[in-house]
Amino acid sequence: MSIDNNWFHEMEARIPKGEIRTRFAPSPTGYMHVGNLRTALYTWLIARHGGGKFLLRIEDTDQGRLVEGAVDVIYATMRRCGLTWDEGPDVGGPVGPYIQTQRRDLYGKYAQLLIERGHAYRCFCTEERLAQLRQDDPNAKYDRHCLSLTPEEIQAKLEAGEPYVIRQRIPEGTTTFHDAVYGDITVDNAELDDQILIKSDGLPTYNFANVIDDHLMGITHVVRGAEYLSSAPKYNLLYEAFGWDIPTYVHCSSVMFSDPATGTVRKMSKRHGDPSYEDLVAQGYLSHAVVNYVALLGWAPHGDIAEQEFFTMDELVRAFEIEGISKSPSAFDMDKLNYFNAAYLRGLSPEDFAREAQPWIRQAVKNEAYDAAAIAALLQARCDKLSDIPEKVDFFDALPDYGPELFTNKKSKTDAQVSLRMLQETVPVLEGLAQWSQDAIHGALVALAERLEVKNATLMWPLRIAAAGKAVTPGGAVELCRILGKDETLRRVALGMEKLR
């Protein structure tokens, strides 16, 4: 393959300059786990804080692990979290395409350029030979068997149609790279393997494609997990082999998870069943609460806002600085997430909370006669996550089978005898109401308690138990009766009196 230098010059001329450019480059191999979401968020924040561009690129070269529909999940997750992109597969841009398999023709040209410059070589070793090497030593690096092939031997193998991969040729010596979080790191090149750049099917490996794409897309800051620190020297060597500027590396420490089943603390992983972003949403967490919490998993604000916990997206953009990223692993704490989510739920307007809560209410309250918005009004201050809702409101559709002991409450000064009397006195008052409104019900019951010379709680407790069949309910007797309606309330009060007799 002859080198067309004009083509390479044209590719260089397309690269945007003079601005911060970051990218999130997920593989469509499943759902967005928390570590991926944090990487996407930090990458987005760096671009937005610096007034630059944020790119979305789909890295789908690992064809064997692709999951159908995963790209749509990526789009939906990013949008739900407020992580808008300036360039990407669906919006275009000056350096597209933004899907790796649609760029496959260019990777081979850059690999050929490396071969011409002596920084890469073709490897014709069979899987059987490589397996034998690993059998002898599972940790063995490739033995560079094909590096010694003569040009004539290589040409003969090519003419015979033998399959091959292209490997990076690691030079002798050491490689030093700088990371914005971890500082300068020096690695002995003898520890590095001659990694595969182009697979036998012509597709690039992740390690090669992301370097090529990052350069050609003008990426200035590369954000990824600390597990990629060991690959950074190879990336550096590729940049140097091409004579390209090296982007700012930002490696983020691991997110750790305390496994409730074993008590062990380990790196968070979907393989272990740890919650992904989609899992958290399915469990009733708000996207903004998750994003706010994830932002603080390994980053902290400085200065006057060092103690601030709750941030809008605009506030995060203003506050986020790379210097605030920690080297220390962070702990994912479900209790802390509950704290954030509860605060976000309380902060919603009643209309927004009702909209979020309605699907969860309707899981348990199928009867459309019961106003979901009215039920939601009882719940906003009483749930930490939306998935708490169905269990709290299931009594609306079906009164649970409860025992008369619930009517006894020391604080309300009620027992079975007192409760029966209160319900008996309540029935004609409720039956006589011309208007079934909260104010009307409340006024009538308060007046009744005053006439009976009992505290409001002594009257309200038996009525609430009869209405809900539960000791703990969202809202008190008045609210529950108003939502249930007059006929259903009186029916349930009658059932309660039967239990007490």
Side-chain angles (χ1 to χ4, degrees):
M1 183 190 296
S2 60
I3 297 294
D4 181 359
N5 287 316
N6 288 332
W7 182 85
F8 289 105
H9 292 319
E10 290 171 3
M11 296 298 291
E12 292 292 312
R14 297 175 62 205
I15 300 173
K17 308 284 186 182
E19 62 180 356
I20 290 177
R21 291 175 62 83
T22 68
R23 52 77 173 166
F24 179 55
S27 299
T29 55
Y31 295 120
M32 181 92 76
H33 61 71
V34 169
N36 268 356
L37 176 58
R38 186 185 65 170
T39 298
L41 176 60
Y42 286 6
T43 306
W44 183 86
L45 287 170
I46 290 171
R48 294 292 179 254
H49 181 80
K53 297 289 195 307
F54 174 68
L55 285 65
L56 178 61
R57 186 173 75 222
I58 302 299
E59 299 197 338
D60 61 344
T61 53
D62 191 350
Q63 295 284 293
R65 295 179 59 224
L66 299 187
V67 174
E68 186 176 355
V71 173
D72 292 333
V73 169
I74 291 168
Y75 289 161
T77 299
M78 299 281 284
R79 290 190 175 105
R80 288 186 70 172
C81 293
L83 306 182
T84 54
W85 51 97
D86 304 294
E87 301 172 27
D90 58 336
V91 298
V95 287
Y98 295 87
I99 297 177
Q100 278 190 339
T101 49
Q102 296 176 10
R103 301 168 63 85
R104 64 181 298 166
D105 292 342
L106 62 86
Y107 302 116
K109 296 178 181 179
Y110 281 97
Q112 178 64 26
L113 183 59
L114 287 181
I115 292 174
E116 294 287 332
R117 294 181 176 181
H119 297 295
Y121 60 97
R122 294 180 180 86
C123 171
F124 297 89
C125 290
T126 63
E127 282 297 325
E128 290 75 19
R129 182 178 187 279
L130 296 175
Q132 185 62 49
L133 286 175
R134 290 190 293 269
Q135 183 176 335
D136 295 340
D137 179 3
N139 298 315
K141 299 194 298 294
Y142 176 62
D143 61 0
R144 292 187 156 184
H145 173 77
C146 291
L147 184 57
S148 61
L149 294 176
T150 65
E152 292 76 19
E153 289 173 320
I154 293 172
Q155 187 60 35
K157 289 178 178 293
L158 290 175
E159 291 175 356
E162 291 189 28
Y164 65 90
V165 299
I166 298 178
R167 291 182 179 271
Q168 182 179 5
R169 181 177 182 177
I170 302 295
E172 295 181 354
T174 61
T175 296
T176 298
F177 67 94
H178 180 78
D179 181 76
V181 177
Y182 291 87
D184 289 333
I185 298 176
T186 299
V187 176
D188 186 342
N189 290 353
E191 299 176 6
L192 306 179
D193 195 8
D194 283 6
Q195 67 176 341
I196 294 174
L197 304 179
I198 301 291
K199 295 176 285 189
S200 58
D201 62 3
L203 283 173
T205 58
Y206 166 82
N207 286 332
F208 187 52
N210 88 81
V211 168
I212 302 300
D213 290 341
D214 284 347
H215 174 71
L216 294 181
M217 293 181 178
I219 302 304
T220 60
H221 295 69
V222 174
V223 184
R224 53 186 168 233
E227 64 270 22
Y228 290 101
L229 274 170
S230 60
S231 300
K234 298 178 182 180
Y235 301 147
N236 250 49
L237 290 170
L238 286 172
Y239 281 108
E240 291 172 355
F242 285 118
W244 294 341
D245 291 337
I246 297 170
T248 298
Y249 295 143
V250 183
H251 287 85
C252 303
S253 60
S254 299
V255 178
M256 308 302 288
F257 186 70
S258 180
D259 193 327
T262 63
T264 58
V265 178
R266 50 169 171 72
K267 183 183 173 186
M268 203 167 186
S269 168
K270 183 65 175 172
R271 287 195 304 274
H272 289 106
D274 299 335
S276 66
Y277 166 81
E278 288 78 10
D279 293 330
L280 293 173
V281 171
Q283 291 168 19
Y285 294 94
L286 297 177
S287 286
H288 285 176
V290 174
V291 169
N292 191 154
Y293 178 57
V294 167
L296 300 174
L297 289 175
W299 170 82
H302 290 157
D304 295 340
I305 58 172
E307 301 302 317
Q308 184 173 335
E309 290 184 305
F310 295 94
F311 293 85
T312 65
M313 292 300 277
D314 287 342
E315 288 171 337
L316 275 176
V317 168
R318 289 194 295 271
F320 193 85
E321 294 177 338
I322 294 173
E323 292 76 15
I325 299 175
S326 172
K327 297 179 186 178
S328 303
S330 53
F332 186 88
D333 184 339
M334 293 301 296
D335 289 337
K336 188 71 171 179
L337 178 58
N338 287 341
Y339 161 74
F340 271 88
N341 200 66
Y344 270 87
L345 287 175
R346 310 286 189 273
L348 292 175
S349 69
E351 296 78 17
D352 287 343
F353 179 81
R355 185 170 56 252
E356 295 283 354
Q358 181 165 355
W360 298 88
I361 292 170
R362 289 304 179 205
Q363 285 183 23
V365 185
K366 310 292 186 185
N367 189 340
E368 295 286 344
Y370 297 140
D371 184 356
I375 296 173
L378 307 181
L379 293 163
Q380 187 163 6
R382 295 178 174 90
C383 60
D384 291 344
K385 54 187 186 295
L386 295 168
S387 56
D388 295 340
I389 290 174
E391 183 271 336
K392 291 180 181 291
V393 299
D394 55 3
F395 64 87
F396 280 104
D397 263 13
L399 191 66
D401 183 17
Y402 66 97
E405 66 277 0
L406 285 185
F407 287 101
T408 299
N409 183 277
K410 185 176 181 180
K411 186 176 179 181
S412 298
K413 298 182 179 180
T414 61
D415 55 21
Q417 184 177 355
V418 170
S419 294
L420 178 58
R421 178 180 169 231
M422 292 300 103
L423 292 180
Q424 288 171 332
E425 295 284 355
T426 298
V427 170
V429 171
L430 294 181
E431 286 178 335
L433 285 177
Q435 182 184 8
W436 195 259
S437 68
Q438 189 151 315
D439 288 343
I441 299 168
H442 180 267
L445 292 176
V446 169
L448 175 60
E450 185 176 351
R451 177 165 60 82
L452 296 175
E453 297 182 345
V454 298
K455 292 186 176 181
N456 289 343
T458 304
L459 181 69
M460 300 293 189
W461 179 267
L463 181 56
R464 185 161 65 86
I465 296 300
K470 287 186 172 186
V472 179
T473 60
V478 173
E479 293 94 339
L480 301 186
C481 291
R482 205 275 297 171
I483 294 170
L484 285 168
K486 188 173 185 177
D487 291 345
E488 180 63 14
T489 296
L490 290 170
R491 186 187 75 83
R492 293 187 179 198
V493 169
L495 289 173
M497 290 190 293
E498 285 182 23
K499 291 178 182 290
L500 289 166
R501 291 191 182 104

